[in-house]
């Protein structure tokens, strides 16, 4: 699925509905438990609501921090962040409370706009092609950045 940053509002409404469903007006799961479980989803919604340029800038900043923190001989941060599973947990936070590179990269990979696709192609060295094609992403065919990453991920799953 591809998302636009405007989709975050609809997803936030869905999240509120889930919370109400599970708490069942005080007769279901405790509100504290539901809140604890939904924390990651809420963080992810915050990231999804950011505009593409902000996401790109934040990703580059996080990648730079990770590169500076790696000891010699380890994989560089681009290889870790681009690996299946993203090299980190969805919604993970860095030491300063910011979102990690893997979460930012995942949101960019599922962003349905030209700027995100161009950024991924330039920074992740992806092939050029039918840029931003939703059909290419959904079918895994074509040369869009998302289709390329989907194909790469499928190889690792086997």
């Amino acid at each position: 699925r591809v998302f636009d940053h405007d989709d975050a509002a609809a997803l936030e409404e869905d999240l509120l509905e889930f919370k109400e469903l599970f708490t069942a007006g005080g007769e279901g799961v405790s509100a504290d438990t539901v809140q604890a479980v939904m924390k990651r989803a809420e963080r992810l919604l915050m990231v999804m609501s950011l505009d593409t340029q902000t996401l790109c800038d934040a990703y580059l900043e996080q990648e730079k921090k990770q590169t500076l923190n790696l000891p010699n001989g380890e994989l560089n941060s681009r290889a870790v962040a681009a690996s299946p599973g993203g090299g980190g947990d969805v919604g993970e936070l860095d030491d300063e409370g910011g979102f990690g590179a893997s979460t930012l990269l995942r949101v960019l990979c599922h962003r349905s706009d030209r700027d995100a696709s161009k950024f991924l192609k330039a920074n992740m060295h992806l092939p050029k092609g039918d840029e931003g094609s939703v059909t290419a992403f959904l079918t895994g065919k074509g040369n869009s950045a998302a289709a390329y990453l989907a194909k790469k991920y499928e190889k690792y799953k086997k």
Side-chain angles (χ1 to χ4, degrees), residues 59-60 63 76-84 86 101-102 104-106 108-109 116-128 145-146 148-149 152:
Y59 173 77
L60 292 173
E63 185 181 57
N76 69 36
S77 63
R78 179 170 287 143
V80 173
S83 67
S102 64
L104 298 168
L105 180 63
R106 289 172 186 184
L108 283 166
C109 287
S117 185
K118 286 175 67 174
F119 175 82
L120 291 169
K121 287 177 185 180
N123 289 281
M124 304 308 287
H125 309 292
L126 300 176
K128 293 183 179 183
Y148 178 81
L149 290 173
K152 187 174 180 181

Coordinates of all heavy atoms in Angstrom, one line a residue, residues 59-60 63 76-84 86 101-102 104-106 108-109 116-128 145-146 148-149 152:
Y59 N 15.7 11.8 7.5 CA 16.4 10.5 7.2 C 17.9 10.7 7.0 O 18.7 10.0 7.6 CB 15.8 9.9 5.9 CG 16.6 8.7 5.5 CD1 16.5 7.4 6.2 CD2 17.6 8.7 4.5 CE1 17.3 6.3 5.9 CE2 18.3 7.6 4.1 CZ 18.2 6.4 4.8 OH 19.0 5.3 4.5
L60 N 18.3 11.7 6.2 CA 19.7 12.0 6.0 C 20.4 12.4 7.3 O 21.6 11.9 7.6 CB 19.9 13.2 5.0 CG 19.5 12.8 3.6 CD1 19.5 14.1 2.7 CD2 20.3 11.7 3.0
E63 N 20.8 9.1 9.3 CA 21.8 8.3 8.6 C 23.2 8.7 9.0 O 24.1 8.0 9.3 CB 21.6 8.3 7.1 CG 22.5 7.3 6.4 CD 22.3 7.4 4.9 OE1 22.4 8.5 4.3 OE2 22.1 6.3 4.3
N76 N 27.8 -0.2 6.8 CA 27.5 1.3 6.9 C 26.0 1.4 7.1 O 25.2 0.4 6.9 CB 27.9 2.0 5.7 CG 27.2 1.7 4.4 OD1 26.0 1.4 4.4 ND2 27.9 1.7 3.3
S77 N 25.5 2.5 7.6 CA 24.1 2.7 8.0 C 23.2 2.5 6.8 O 22.0 2.1 7.0 CB 23.9 4.1 8.6 OG 24.2 5.1 7.7
R78 N 23.6 2.9 5.6 CA 22.7 2.8 4.4 C 22.4 1.3 4.2 O 21.3 0.9 3.9 CB 23.4 3.4 3.2 CG 22.5 3.2 2.0 CD 23.0 4.1 0.8 NE 22.7 5.4 1.1 CZ 23.5 6.4 0.7 NH1 24.6 6.2 0.1 NH2 23.2 7.7 1.0
A79 N 23.4 0.4 4.3 CA 23.2 -1.0 4.2 C 22.2 -1.5 5.2 O 21.4 -2.4 5.0 CB 24.5 -1.8 4.2
V80 N 22.4 -1.1 6.5 CA 21.6 -1.5 7.6 C 20.1 -1.0 7.4 O 19.2 -1.8 7.5 CB 22.1 -1.1 8.9 CG1 21.2 -1.4 10.0 CG2 23.5 -1.7 9.2
A81 N 20.0 0.2 7.1 CA 18.6 0.8 7.0 C 17.9 0.3 5.8 O 16.7 0.1 5.8 CB 18.7 2.3 6.9
A82 N 18.6 -0.1 4.7 CA 17.9 -0.6 3.5 C 17.7 -2.1 3.6 O 17.1 -2.6 2.7 CB 18.8 -0.2 2.3
S83 N 18.1 -2.8 4.6 CA 18.0 -4.2 4.7 C 16.5 -4.6 5.0 O 15.8 -3.7 5.6 CB 18.9 -4.8 5.7 OG 18.5 -4.4 7.0
P84 N 16.1 -5.8 4.6 CA 14.7 -6.2 5.0 C 14.6 -6.1 6.6 O 15.5 -6.5 7.3 CB 14.6 -7.6 4.6 CG 15.7 -7.7 3.5 CD 16.8 -6.8 3.9
G86 N 14.5 -3.3 7.9 CA 14.9 -1.9 8.1 C 16.0 -1.6 9.1 O 16.4 -0.5 9.3
A101 N 16.3 6.1 11.4 CA 16.4 6.1 10.0 C 15.6 5.0 9.4 O 15.0 5.2 8.3 CB 17.9 5.9 9.6
S102 N 15.5 3.8 10.0 CA 14.7 2.7 9.4 C 13.2 3.1 9.3 O 12.6 2.8 8.3 CB 14.9 1.4 10.2 OG 14.4 1.5 11.5
L104 N 12.0 6.2 9.1 CA 11.8 7.2 8.1 C 11.9 6.7 6.7 O 11.2 7.0 5.8 CB 12.9 8.3 8.4 CG 12.8 9.0 9.7 CD1 14.1 9.8 10.0 CD2 11.6 9.9 9.8
L105 N 12.9 5.7 6.5 CA 13.0 5.1 5.2 C 11.8 4.3 4.8 O 11.3 4.4 3.7 CB 14.2 4.2 5.2 CG 14.5 3.4 3.9 CD1 14.8 4.4 2.8 CD2 15.7 2.5 4.1
R106 N 11.2 3.6 5.8 CA 10.0 2.8 5.5 C 8.8 3.7 5.1 O 8.1 3.4 4.1 CB 9.6 2.0 6.7 CG 10.5 0.8 7.0 CD 10.2 0.2 8.3 NE 11.2 -0.8 8.6 CZ 11.2 -1.6 9.6 NH1 10.2 -1.6 10.4 NH2 12.1 -2.5 9.8
L108 N 9.1 6.7 3.7 CA 9.5 7.2 2.4 C 9.2 6.2 1.3 O 8.7 6.5 0.2 CB 10.9 7.7 2.3 CG 11.2 9.0 3.0 CD1 12.7 9.2 3.2 CD2 10.6 10.1 2.2
C109 N 9.5 4.9 1.6 CA 9.3 3.9 0.6 C 7.8 3.7 0.3 O 7.4 3.2 -0.8 CB 9.8 2.5 1.1 SG 11.6 2.5 1.0
A116 N 9.5 11.7 -3.1 CA 10.0 10.6 -2.3 C 10.7 9.6 -3.2 O 11.8 9.1 -2.9 CB 8.8 9.9 -1.6
S117 N 10.1 9.3 -4.4 CA 10.7 8.4 -5.3 C 12.0 8.9 -5.8 O 13.0 8.1 -5.9 CB 9.7 8.2 -6.5 OG 10.2 7.2 -7.4
K118 N 12.1 10.2 -6.1 CA 13.4 10.7 -6.6 C 14.5 10.7 -5.5 O 15.6 10.3 -5.8 CB 13.2 12.2 -7.0 CG 12.5 12.3 -8.4 CD 12.2 13.7 -8.7 CE 13.4 14.5 -9.0 NZ 13.2 15.9 -9.5
F119 N 14.1 11.0 -4.3 CA 15.0 10.9 -3.1 C 15.5 9.5 -3.0 O 16.7 9.2 -2.8 CB 14.3 11.3 -1.9 CG 15.2 11.2 -0.6 CD1 16.1 12.1 -0.3 CD2 15.0 10.1 0.2 CE1 16.9 12.0 0.8 CE2 15.8 9.9 1.3 CZ 16.8 10.8 1.6
L120 N 14.6 8.5 -3.0 CA 15.0 7.1 -2.8 C 16.0 6.6 -4.0 O 17.0 6.0 -3.7 CB 13.8 6.2 -2.8 CG 13.0 6.3 -1.5 CD1 11.6 5.6 -1.7 CD2 13.7 5.8 -0.3
K121 N 15.7 7.0 -5.2 CA 16.5 6.7 -6.3 C 17.9 7.3 -6.2 O 18.9 6.6 -6.4 CB 15.9 7.1 -7.6 CG 14.7 6.2 -8.0 CD 14.0 6.7 -9.2 CE 12.8 5.8 -9.4 NZ 12.0 6.2 -10.6
A122 N 18.0 8.5 -5.8 CA 19.2 9.2 -5.6 C 20.1 8.7 -4.5 O 21.3 8.5 -4.6 CB 19.0 10.7 -5.5
N123 N 19.4 8.5 -3.3 CA 20.2 8.1 -2.1 C 20.3 6.6 -1.9 O 21.2 6.2 -1.2 CB 19.5 8.8 -0.9 CG 19.7 10.2 -0.9 OD1 20.8 10.7 -0.6 ND2 18.7 11.0 -1.4
M124 N 19.4 5.8 -2.5 CA 19.5 4.4 -2.3 C 20.0 3.7 -3.6 O 20.1 2.5 -3.7 CB 18.2 3.8 -1.9 CG 17.6 4.4 -0.7 SD 18.6 4.5 0.8 CE 18.6 2.7 1.2
H125 N 20.4 4.5 -4.5 CA 21.0 4.0 -5.8 C 20.0 3.0 -6.5 O 20.5 1.9 -6.9 CB 22.4 3.4 -5.6 CG 23.3 4.4 -4.8 ND1 23.7 5.6 -5.4 CD2 23.7 4.3 -3.6 CE1 24.4 6.2 -4.5 NE2 24.5 5.5 -3.4
L126 N 18.8 3.4 -6.7 CA 17.8 2.6 -7.3 C 17.8 2.9 -8.8 O 18.1 4.0 -9.2 CB 16.4 2.8 -6.7 CG 16.3 2.5 -5.2 CD1 14.9 2.9 -4.7 CD2 16.6 1.1 -4.9
P127 N 17.3 1.9 -9.6 CA 17.2 2.2 -11.1 C 16.2 3.2 -11.4 O 15.2 3.3 -10.7 CB 16.9 0.8 -11.6 CG 16.2 0.1 -10.5 CD 16.9 0.6 -9.3
K128 N 16.4 4.0 -12.5 CA 15.4 4.9 -12.9 C 14.3 4.2 -13.7 O 14.6 3.2 -14.3 CB 16.0 6.0 -13.8 CG 17.0 6.9 -13.0 CD 17.5 8.0 -13.8 CE 18.4 8.8 -12.8 NZ 19.0 9.9 -13.5
A145 N 10.9 3.0 -7.5 CA 11.7 2.7 -6.3 C 11.0 1.7 -5.4 O 11.6 0.8 -4.9 CB 11.9 4.1 -5.5
A146 N 9.7 1.9 -5.2 CA 8.9 1.0 -4.4 C 8.9 -0.4 -4.9 O 9.0 -1.4 -4.2 CB 7.5 1.5 -4.2
Y148 N 11.1 -1.8 -6.9 CA 12.5 -2.3 -6.7 C 12.7 -2.9 -5.3 O 13.2 -4.0 -5.1 CB 13.5 -1.2 -7.1 CG 14.9 -1.7 -6.9 CD1 15.6 -2.4 -7.9 CD2 15.6 -1.4 -5.7 CE1 16.9 -2.9 -7.7 CE2 16.9 -1.8 -5.6 CZ 17.5 -2.6 -6.6 OH 18.8 -3.0 -6.4
L149 N 12.3 -2.1 -4.3 CA 12.5 -2.5 -2.9 C 11.6 -3.7 -2.6 O 12.0 -4.6 -1.9 CB 12.2 -1.3 -2.0 CG 13.3 -0.3 -2.0 CD1 12.9 0.9 -1.1 CD2 14.6 -0.8 -1.6
K152 N 13.3 -6.7 -4.0 CA 14.5 -7.0 -3.2 C 14.1 -7.7 -1.9 O 14.7 -8.6 -1.5 CB 15.2 -5.7 -2.9 CG 16.5 -5.9 -2.2 CD 17.3 -4.5 -2.1 CE 18.6 -4.7 -1.4 NZ 19.3 -3.5 -1.2

